[in-house]
Amino acid sequence: MEETLTKSLPMVFENQDQDVSLVERYLAGDVTAFDEIMIRYERQIYRVCYRFVENRDDAMDLAQDVFIKAFEHLSGFRRESSLKTWLYRIAINHCINHVKKNSQEFVEVNEYTGSIRPSVQAYLEHQEQREQFRRMIKHLPPKQKAILELRINEQLSYEEIAKISGRTVSTIKASVFFALEKLRKLAKHV
């Protein structure tokens, strides 16, 4: 495990260094650097947006809005977190606002990949059960849905989710726990 972590750390730092370089180039007047940022993160941001609205066109529009906001505010990027975390925060907040504004339900769970209780993992292994889970998750408050989305689908750590959401790690862990408890109770009635 340590060996795997040690091998992956240089790649993480390399990506962050490349991100910092791109931001610095953009701030120095090289607008093509922002194109490179978009290319690096467009799939990930689109995926997040798609899971909120479950519609390709809407997800593309939301992702485009996210990059417009990032473009407009990149000069305010303080480097307190990674560029990826900053972009995810913009995407999650924008999607939550969109969902609230349009009263749509969101979040699609394709597969279980996090380190959450085995009973949930077993529940998600079958396609029919995944669909039930998908319907149940729509009953969660938007912020809990967003946190669960980042934890399960995007496989982000609690620390990364805390940075994205601006909350503490313990708050994120509690949100995941309570969301899963709600889902377990709903599963008993399905």
Side-chain angles (χ1 to χ4, degrees), residues 77-88:
F77 175 59
R78 294 177 295 207
R79 298 182 184 124
E80 293 172 356
S81 61
S82 70
L83 181 62
K84 177 182 176 181
T85 299
W86 185 72
L87 289 170
Y88 269 59

Side-chain angles (χ1 to χ4, degrees), residues 6-148:
T6 306
K7 287 180 182 177
S8 66
L9 284 177
M11 189 168 118
V12 169
F13 291 125
E14 182 180 308
N15 286 340
Q16 288 176 356
D17 290 344
Q18 289 173 351
D19 287 347
V20 168
S21 173
L22 288 171
V23 170
E24 288 173 355
R25 280 181 38 210
Y26 171 76
L27 294 176
D30 181 1
V31 291
T32 63
F34 193 81
D35 293 338
E36 292 179 47
I37 291 171
M38 283 183 56
I39 291 167
R40 274 183 91 130
Y41 292 106
E42 65 187 343
R43 285 185 185 150
Q44 294 168 5
I45 298 302
Y46 169 81
R47 255 193 343 255
V48 169
C49 295
Y50 181 82
R51 289 190 184 108
F52 274 84
V53 294
E54 298 179 344
N55 176 294
R56 288 182 186 199
D57 293 334
D58 289 345
M60 288 173 63
D61 289 345
L62 286 170
Q64 183 177 5
D65 291 345
V66 168
F67 284 110
I68 289 170
K69 286 180 183 230
F71 182 80
E72 292 171 344
H73 296 94
L74 193 56
S75 61
F77 175 59
R78 294 177 295 207
R79 298 182 184 124
E80 293 172 356
S81 61
S82 70
L83 181 62
K84 177 182 176 181
T85 299
W86 185 72
L87 289 170
Y88 269 59
R89 180 181 291 179
I90 293 170
I92 293 297
N93 288 337
H94 186 62
C95 290
I96 287 173
N97 290 338
H98 173 80
V99 168
K100 283 180 181 177
K101 181 180 174 185
N102 295 302
S103 300
Q104 295 177 349
E105 296 297 329
F106 62 90
V107 179
E108 174 183 354
V109 176
N110 291 326
E111 62 185 88
Y112 175 85
T113 53
S115 60
I116 300 171
R117 295 185 185 189
S119 61
V120 174
Q121 180 180 5
Y123 184 73
L124 296 176
E125 286 178 352
H126 297 92
Q127 186 62 33
E128 183 177 321
Q129 291 169 330
R130 286 183 189 162
E131 185 58 35
Q132 287 175 343
F133 184 82
R134 192 171 155 206
R135 284 191 301 270
M136 288 187 315
I137 205 168
K138 291 182 179 188
H139 296 285
L140 295 176
K143 290 181 182 176
Q144 279 187 341
K145 291 178 198 178
I147 290 169
L148 209 54

Side-chain angles (χ1 to χ4, degrees), residues 152-168:
I152 293 175
N153 288 324
E154 295 301 318
Q155 303 173 26
L156 297 181
S157 69
Y158 291 115
E159 291 78 12
E160 290 172 310
I161 298 169
K163 286 180 183 176
I164 290 168
S165 66
R167 296 192 170 107
T168 65

Side-chain angles (χ1 to χ4, degrees), residues 116-117 119-120 180-188:
I116 300 171
R117 295 185 185 189
S119 61
V120 174
L180 292 174
E181 285 300 310
K182 285 180 187 177
L183 293 177
R184 282 187 195 90
K185 288 177 184 175
L186 283 171
K188 290 179 182 178

